[in-house]
């Protein structure tokens, strides 16, 4: 039997319809600005999120790096969550390649950084200090939707103190779809509302949206012009990238609204594991389920699950991520395997 891969929503394979869109994409040399499909994607995502411009980049990591380097110069500082992807899981790129000092701050369980801590971390204008320039937030963070009132207050604080705002919205559309599910309304307008609080937003096409490659960085014309230079310098100038942009356009057309299926699957998975002794399931808000295991259960759990046909990541805390290539039937089978194995 085919293993059920819940390690990440990055493991999806392009659907036949997506492959067809890729195969028939009109292309040109994007380093010359000649690729019509890349240009269409950049215009589409910028308009969707309410920005002047966007830049197609190979990865979320490069997107965040270009964003940080476009906001901050050498000797500047950005304020970021201690467990934020940008700070923790991107090889320290902002510091290594951008000479940007990170100021990481502990996050609360919902992913927010307390406003008082942000305020206290902003350095005075004094030669002893790096220049505080930017606040970077992440949404969703650990599958959780950053509360909109928090984003509003953080933006107000940033504006008052002269900081720019960047959103690592790798899973922004999961946040928007979860918000639409909880509060009503349309996911696309929630995405625009969330994005509207930021000077720049990075979104991934290669996670829940199911494209093989690619992210977009959105911002003002000027900002994107700066980011474009950094992308080139980082080696992210791509040629006939329209074959990839076509996958992302297909994903925006067909894979945004269906994210609520992934969220329903995550809830079903969480409910199916609820009453297991020695197992604590964190209620999922989007497509990521965390499962805490009592130490005796944790030893070798990931390996035993793998042998039984369910792939997941973690150790004491398992991470199970639902996505396009996991069906309702797969979830039922995963629940049975997890229950038998744990
Ligand atoms: C995956 C991810 C990234 C980086 O994306 P890559 O395409 O893997 O480089 C950045 N931020 C968050 C929150 C992510 O989940």
């Amino acid at each position: 039997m085919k293993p059920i891969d819940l390690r990440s929503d990055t493991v999806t394979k392009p659907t036949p319809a997506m492959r067809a869109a890729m195969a028939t994409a009109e292309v040109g040399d994007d380093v010359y600005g000649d690729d019509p499909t890349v240009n269409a994607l950049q215009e589409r995502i910028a308009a969707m999120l309410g920005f002047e411009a966007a830049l197609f980049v190979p990865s979320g990591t490069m997107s965040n790096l270009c964003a940080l380097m476009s906001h901050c110069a050498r000797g500047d500082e950005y304020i970021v969550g201690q467990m934020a992807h940008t700070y923790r899981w991107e090889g320290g790129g902002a510091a290594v390649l951008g000479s940007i000092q990170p100021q990481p701050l502990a996050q609360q369980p919902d992913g927010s950084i307390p406003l008082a801590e942000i305020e206290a971390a902003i350095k005075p204008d004094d030669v002893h200090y790096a220049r505080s320039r930017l606040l970077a937030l992440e949404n969703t963070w650990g599958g959780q939707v950053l509360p909109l009132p928090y984003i509003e207050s953080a933006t107000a604080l940033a504006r008052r103190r002269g900081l720019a705002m960047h959103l690592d919205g790798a899973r922004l559309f999961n946040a928007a779809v979860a918000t639409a599910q909880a509060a009503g309304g349309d996911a696309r307008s929630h995405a625009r509302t969330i994005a509207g609080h930021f000077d720049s937003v990075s979104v991934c096409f290669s996670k829940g949206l199911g494209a093989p490659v690619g992210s977009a960085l959105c911002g003002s014309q000027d900002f994107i012009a700066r980011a474009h230079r950094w992308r080139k310098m980082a080696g992210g100038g791509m040629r006939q990238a329209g074959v990839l942009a076509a996958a992302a356009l297909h994903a925006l057309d067909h894979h945004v609204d269906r994210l609520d299926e992934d969220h329903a699957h995550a809830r079903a998975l969480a409910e199916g594991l609820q009453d297991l002794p020695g197992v604590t399931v964190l209620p999922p808000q989007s497509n990521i389920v965390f499962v805490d295991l009592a130490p005796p259960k944790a030893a070798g759990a990931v390996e035993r699950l793998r042998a039984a046909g369910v792939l997941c990541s973690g150790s004491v805390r398992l991470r199970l991520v639902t996505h396009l290539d996991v069906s309702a039937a797969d979830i039922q089978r995963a629940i049975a395997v997890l229950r038998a194995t744990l």
Side-chain angles (χ1 to χ4, degrees):
M1 240 189 205
K2 189 163 79 67
I4 301 166
D5 196 342
L6 301 173
R7 289 172 301 168
S8 176
D9 46 9
T10 55
V11 301
T12 56
K13 309 239 168 89
T15 62
M18 182 179 277
R19 286 173 188 264
M22 296 171 75
T24 54
E26 254 192 87
V27 296
D29 189 333
D30 183 52
V31 173
Y32 289 105
D34 282 351
D35 191 302
T37 310
V38 170
N39 293 337
L41 172 65
Q42 292 176 162
E43 282 163 29
R44 171 88 68 87
I45 188 69
M48 261 179 103
L49 298 181
F51 287 96
E52 285 176 3
L55 188 68
F56 185 47
V57 283
S59 69
T61 299
M62 191 184 289
S63 190
N64 283 326
L65 177 68
C66 291
L68 294 171
M69 291 179 70
S70 301
H71 283 298
C72 302
R74 181 173 189 225
D76 289 350
E77 166 183 272
Y78 80 112
I79 296 171
V80 62
Q82 183 69 250
M83 298 297 277
H85 200 283
T86 311
Y87 170 62
R88 203 164 187 100
W89 281 282
E90 294 178 11
V96 176
L97 302 168
S99 301
I100 302 162
Q101 166 168 285
Q103 169 60 73
L105 296 173
Q107 290 154 272
Q108 294 175 299
D110 68 357
S112 64
I113 310 168
L115 298 178
E117 306 285 326
I118 296 172
E119 186 112 46
I122 299 172
K123 312 289 182 289
D125 182 6
D126 175 315
V127 293
H128 292 86
Y129 299 111
R131 289 166 302 228
S132 307
R133 278 277 191 249
L134 176 74
L135 173 61
L137 300 179
E138 183 173 319
N139 194 14
T140 59
W141 175 76
Q144 298 189 93
V145 181
L146 203 56
L148 192 60
Y150 170 77
I151 296 175
E152 290 165 353
S153 319
T155 306
L157 164 60
R159 297 282 173 257
R160 181 159 56 72
R161 299 297 306 268
L163 300 181
M165 291 279 285
H166 173 67
L167 179 66
D168 179 357
R171 295 188 180 86
L172 172 64
F173 288 109
N174 290 90
V177 165
T179 305
Q181 226 252 333
D186 164 57
R188 285 155 206 269
S189 79
H190 286 299
R192 205 158 37 245
T193 302
I194 297 166
H197 291 283
F198 294 87
D199 299 295
S200 59
V201 172
S202 171
V203 285
C204 284
F205 303 117
S206 59
K207 301 233 159 131
L209 296 185
V213 174
S215 287
L217 178 61
C218 303
S220 68
Q221 296 277 10
D222 277 1
F223 174 85
I224 292 300
R226 294 200 297 280
H228 194 169
R229 185 181 294 272
W230 293 126
R231 183 188 72 173
K232 183 69 191 159
M233 199 185 290
M238 298 183 285
R239 303 294 179 174
Q240 286 71 32
V243 288
L244 301 174
L249 279 167
H250 180 87
L252 290 176
D253 285 336
H254 301 285
H255 296 168
V256 172
D257 298 306
R258 66 150 304 285
L259 289 171
D260 65 0
E261 278 175 46
D262 298 344
H263 298 182
H265 289 162
R267 289 194 298 275
L269 184 58
E271 275 157 30
L273 304 175
Q274 212 55 264
D275 56 340
L276 274 180
V279 170
T280 309
V281 185
L282 284 70
Q285 290 181 15
S286 62
N287 67 328
I288 304 181
V289 183
F290 287 106
V291 177
D292 286 340
L293 303 179
K297 285 196 189 272
V302 170
E303 292 72 21
R304 282 182 288 126
L305 286 167
R306 174 182 284 272
V310 172
L311 310 186
C312 61
S313 47
S315 53
V316 175
R317 169 169 285 189
L318 303 181
R319 190 181 86 139
L320 305 140
V321 187
T322 59
H323 53 75
L324 194 56
D325 290 352
V326 175
S327 67
D330 290 335
I331 291 297
Q332 291 314 312
R333 186 153 69 89
I335 291 169
V337 167
L338 281 149
R339 295 189 70 92
T341 309
L342 301 177

